[in-house]
Amino acid sequence: MTALGTFVQVPWSARTVTTDLAKSTPHSALSANGAPMTASQISLEVEQALSSIPFVDIHTHLFAPSFGNLGLWGIDELLTYHYLEAEFFRHSAMAPENYWPLSKIEKAELIWRTLFVENTPISEATRGVIAVLNAFQLPTGHSALPEARAFFQKQDRETHIQRVLQMAGISSVVMTNDPLDPEESPHWMKGAASHKQFHAVLRLDRILCTWHDHWQAVVAQGYAVDPHASGKSVSEVRRFLADWCKRMQPVYMACSLPDTFEFPSDNVGGRLLQEAVVPACRELGLPLSLMIGVRKQVNPRLRLGGDAVGRADLRCLENLCRDFPCNRFLVSVLSRENQHELCVLARKFNNLMPFGCWWFMNNPSIVEEIARERIEMLGTSFIPQHSDARVLEQVIYKWANTRRTLAPILSASYRLLSEDGRTITRSDIQRDVTRLFRSNAETWMNLQPRS
Ligand code: RAT
Ligand code: ZN
């Protein structure tokens, strides 16, 4: 079994990592006998690095334990993930209107029966549930659901969180925190406890994309803004951002944007972005994460599962990166067609950091293509993946899949380099994997690199 295979099956251990890293001699490892590494030795070293270096998950929808029930976990949440709900409606004749009133347990049972019993779970999202059950050594067959439920019910939330992060091989996750979410904001207002493994992100969709529906919520928090974002609204939004940054200590600000996003733009969102958000990020030294290309609610009957994708015109990004050289932009694009253009722009602007293979891009075939393209064009100066996990245990399968997909791609890059005449060392490989999966993120988020 390969090192990676071992990792996928066996809970990850931080202690093993430290020991393994300590054992590696810088610029030593050719092969045990000093000869250049063979192709299979290179693959083993890559797999070893991927399975022993703890990653930083730069974008999730998970919550620190102090947010209580906002943090989703367990089998019923895994089964009712909106990726699976969308697949359920492909395999079932049930109208969405008859599905939504069901209880969580009923929905989960229906999805299990439809996608896991009546069909083989070969899609990426369904396979993920199987991988999670397997990781906990639970049954994965047709009748697996009751035992899985019993298992998750008896877990203690905090211990379980620690165990899951460790099994996924991640040292910390970045949350998505919406200051205008009526369920979330009270937690912050009463002083949410900070957690060293959960970093906050100030999410701005309601401000930048749906101001018309949310300006009153900003007013309700004590800021003098109006529906047209006129007069002192811009300075009040700046004040709002500064106050929320103080409260959340975010590692970046973020927004998901449609395929039609343009910059500069004279609409309310465009003005607030240019006059409030960009200057606030600059002043506070925070990157701005832009996730571009979503076509919201193409089918509203599917609710969260009803969004689609559109190709964006990345001149918006070019304008932002050029006009604001002192700002930093962390960017993911949803359309496959935009991926190459994003790499080209990143070669032009070092204040642009491509990250992740987002949502519909997070399938092995596409991740493979994007990762290869990014390595060829950007070396190690990008962040290959984030999990986008909404349910805690998803980090287990999503990160295992990333490791599995990236291992042959990285190995192939080193093999080519070796064929072209460069000796590859274990410390090169470890430095690169560390850069890709943790230190690029830590540097951009101003987090203290691990000592
Ligand atoms: O991948 C997802 O779960 C999407 O629904 C979105 O949440 C997306 O990741 C986002 O952050 O907007
Ligand atoms: Zn997301």
Side-chain angles (χ1 to χ4, degrees):
M1 191 186 280
T2 63
L4 197 65
T6 310
F7 171 79
V8 172
Q9 313 285 329
V10 172
W12 182 87
S13 145
R15 208 163 294 137
T16 327
V17 173
T18 329
T19 323
D20 287 350
L21 287 179
K23 267 197 245 149
S24 69
T25 329
H27 301 289
S28 68
L30 303 174
S31 67
N33 60 11
M37 282 194 267
T38 61
S40 63
Q41 284 168 329
I42 289 178
S43 298
L44 270 176
E45 289 296 348
V46 167
E47 290 180 3
Q48 171 65 26
L50 284 171
S51 63
S52 62
I53 292 167
F55 295 178
V56 171
D57 195 341
I58 195 169
H59 170 58
T60 75
H61 298 263
L62 303 179
F63 285 93
S66 64
F67 289 83
N69 290 338
L70 286 185
L72 306 180
W73 60 289
I75 189 65
D76 293 317
E77 298 295 352
L78 286 166
L79 288 171
T80 52
Y81 184 32
H82 69 85
Y83 291 26
L84 291 184
E85 288 181 329
E87 291 178 28
F88 165 75
F89 290 117
R90 289 204 57 70
H91 290 277
S92 163
M94 184 180 236
E97 292 69 24
N98 296 331
Y99 171 83
W100 300 119
L102 301 177
S103 69
K104 172 105 354 141
I105 288 178
E106 287 168 332
K107 286 175 182 157
E109 265 158 17
L110 200 52
I111 291 183
W112 179 263
R113 196 165 63 241
T114 308
L115 297 181
F116 294 80
V117 178
E118 292 164 5
N119 288 282
T120 312
I122 54 173
S123 73
E124 173 71 5
T126 50
R127 201 158 43 74
V129 176
I130 298 297
V132 168
L133 294 176
N134 195 46
F136 288 108
Q137 295 172 358
L138 290 165
T140 58
H142 289 186
S143 51
L145 190 51
E147 192 172 332
R149 266 200 186 125
F151 168 80
F152 285 108
Q153 262 157 19
K154 62 176 195 266
Q155 302 307 312
D156 163 69
R157 186 197 297 258
E158 300 217 13
T159 324
H160 185 60
I161 290 177
Q162 290 313 314
R163 181 179 179 197
V164 168
L165 296 188
Q166 199 169 70
M167 287 168 78
I170 50 180
S171 55
S172 62
V173 302
V174 175
M175 305 183 280
T176 296
N177 305 104
D178 185 343
L180 296 178
D181 181 324
E183 285 184 52
E184 182 177 348
S185 62
H187 286 271
W188 291 105
M189 295 294 196
K190 65 173 200 269
S194 69
H195 190 295
K196 65 178 178 358
Q197 287 174 290
F198 288 81
H199 306 294
V201 156
L202 180 47
R203 181 83 175 218
L204 301 172
D205 295 29
R206 294 182 206 223
I207 304 271
L208 293 179
C209 302
T210 47
W211 176 256
H212 196 73
D213 299 328
H214 296 104
W215 67 274
Q216 279 162 313
V218 180
V219 172
Q221 289 189 16
Y223 302 88
V225 298
D226 64 51
H228 312 290
S230 59
K232 58 192 272 207
S233 293
V234 167
S235 60
E236 283 293 273
V237 170
R238 291 275 306 258
R239 190 165 68 84
F240 170 89
L241 296 174
D243 290 347
W244 274 98
C245 284
K246 216 164 166 187
R247 203 170 277 134
M248 283 182 178
Q249 298 293 317
V251 287
Y252 58 80
M253 296 193 206
C255 188
S256 147
L257 295 158
D259 57 327
T260 52
F261 172 63
E262 288 179 349
F263 186 89
S265 151
D266 206 21
N267 63 27
V268 171
R271 277 192 295 113
L272 288 174
L273 176 61
Q274 178 156 359
E275 293 167 28
V277 174
V278 167
C281 283
R282 199 164 52 237
E283 195 175 290
L284 297 160
L286 294 176
L288 177 60
S289 167
L290 303 174
M291 305 175 77
I292 308 172
V294 59
R295 293 181 61 225
K296 290 261 179 214
Q297 297 296 283
V298 165
N299 184 357
R301 293 172 74 204
L302 299 194
R303 300 196 179 169
L304 259 187
D307 295 351
V309 57
R311 181 185 182 151
D313 179 351
L314 292 193
R315 258 170 282 209
C316 55
L317 198 53
E318 183 179 315
N319 295 338
L320 277 163
C321 292
R322 190 188 44 244
D323 295 353
F324 302 103
C326 296
N327 278 81
R328 288 173 297 137
F329 301 94
L330 267 167
V331 177
S332 211
V333 284
L334 195 51
S335 152
R336 185 181 174 196
E337 289 73 19
N338 280 138
Q339 302 298 333
H340 180 254
E341 216 174 337
L342 178 64
C343 290
V344 175
L345 283 179
R347 291 176 66 91
K348 308 299 133 192
F349 298 103
N350 73 357
N351 58 340
L352 169 59
M353 175 62 86
F355 80 94
C357 297
W358 174 29
W359 203 344
F360 311 116
M361 297 295 96
N362 190 7
N363 300 306
S365 61
I366 301 179
V367 173
E368 204 175 301
E369 170 183 304
I370 297 174
R372 198 168 277 137
E373 185 171 55
R374 288 177 177 171
I375 291 170
E376 286 166 353
M377 295 180 79
L378 304 172
T380 56
S381 66
F382 70 98
I383 298 168
Q385 192 53 305
H386 65 272
S387 75
D388 231 312
R390 275 174 190 267
V391 183
L392 177 69
E393 298 84 1
Q394 288 171 341
V395 291
I396 297 173
Y397 87 82
K398 290 187 185 232
W399 283 112
N401 288 358
T402 295
R403 286 177 164 97
R404 183 163 56 189
T405 306
L406 267 286
I409 292 169
L410 278 173
S411 301
S413 307
Y414 291 119
R415 271 202 300 277
L416 286 177
L417 181 58
S418 165
E419 280 167 28
D420 285 341
R422 171 75 175 247
T423 302
I424 311 297
T425 68
R426 178 189 291 162
S427 64
D428 289 334
I429 294 174
Q430 293 196 332
R431 182 196 55 197
D432 295 348
V433 169
T434 303
R435 208 165 264 177
L436 288 165
F437 290 100
R438 43 178 318 121
S439 55
N440 286 343
E442 287 176 323
T443 307
W444 270 62
M445 297 190 298
N446 305 318
L447 292 173
Q448 216 42 12
R450 224 168 43 112
S451 56

